[in-house]
Amino acid sequence: MKVNEYQQKDISEDRIDFYYRSKTKEVNEVLDFLRKHSQRLSGKVNNKKIIFSLNDVYYFESVDKRTFAYLGNEVVQIDIRLQDLEDAYFELGFIRVNKSTVLNVYKISSLKPGINMRVMALLDNGEKIQINRTYKAKFNLFLNTMDKGGFKNETGK
């Protein structure tokens, strides 16, 4: 893949134009990376509001009707329901893996079969998240779709 970089001081905002022949796995990874880095969320840590990148999220979890984003070294309370997070960020790799967790598949370092058709996901930060059998089919479908070049939106882009 060829990459050209240009500095242009007279433009009003930074931009990236990305051209590709076909939507390969590599192209999808680059696009997902760019989309994730442009997504920002806000939440609270110890009553202090912070803004963080979607790319920094390992997983979202619902506990006692509150939603938390687990970052590398912080837990941030956010005001978005799990279903809304999955709907908004599914194509960016956020998949429901059990009743209370939406996982960022790009933070998985390995998968290990568990008992009762469950799967254990080991994350880059050493945490383990269980993928329940109810959600396993959708999880596998996502992985297979990404292996075949990813998702296409309504415009075919």
Side-chain angles (χ1 to χ4, degrees):
M1 179 182 299
K2 182 178 176 183
V3 177
N4 296 316
E5 182 180 327
Y6 306 98
Q7 181 179 13
Q8 188 175 347
K9 294 183 180 190
D10 61 340
I11 59 175
S12 60
E13 77 176 322
D14 296 333
R15 77 166 195 254
I16 296 173
D17 296 322
F18 190 69
Y19 301 89
Y20 54 89
R21 290 184 308 254
S22 64
K23 207 163 197 184
T24 64
K25 184 178 179 181
E26 182 182 29
V27 166
N28 249 342
E29 287 173 358
V30 171
L31 291 173
D32 285 347
F33 176 82
L34 293 170
R35 286 184 192 117
K36 275 183 169 177
H37 278 289
S38 67
Q39 294 283 335
R40 299 274 184 218
L41 297 172
S42 66
K44 291 182 182 178
V45 176
N46 299 325
N47 291 325
K48 179 179 149 188
K49 189 170 184 170
I50 68 163
I51 296 174
F52 57 95
S53 171
L54 183 63
N55 193 55
D56 295 334
V57 176
Y58 282 79
Y59 60 96
F60 297 103
E61 185 176 39
S62 178
V63 178
D64 296 331
K65 297 185 179 184
R66 290 184 281 164
T67 306
F68 298 91
Y70 290 78
L71 311 180
N73 56 0
E74 286 188 294
V75 179
V76 181
Q77 184 177 346
I78 59 173
D79 293 328
I80 308 172
R81 296 177 329 129
L82 279 183
Q83 185 62 52
D84 296 336
L85 290 164
E86 183 183 22
D87 291 345
Y89 304 124
F90 177 78
E91 290 186 3
L92 298 178
F94 287 87
I95 312 295
R96 178 77 66 109
V97 293
N98 59 52
K99 185 178 177 182
S100 63
T101 309
V102 172
L103 178 63
N104 181 353
V105 297
Y106 296 108
K107 298 292 187 180
I108 297 173
S109 62
S110 65
L111 296 169
K112 180 180 172 185
I115 56 174
N116 293 334
M117 301 212 20
R118 294 179 178 147
V119 174
M120 191 63 67
L122 178 63
L123 306 184
D124 295 339
N125 65 357
E127 287 191 61
K128 295 178 182 176
I129 301 290
Q130 184 171 285
I131 302 168
N132 288 352
R133 61 180 171 210
T134 307
Y135 300 93
K136 186 177 165 187
K138 189 173 183 181
F139 179 80
N140 286 335
L141 177 65
F142 179 88
L143 294 180
N144 290 335
T145 302
M146 294 311 295
D147 281 343
K148 293 176 184 169
F151 296 94
K152 293 181 182 177
N153 64 24
E154 295 81 18
T155 62
K157 292 181 182 176

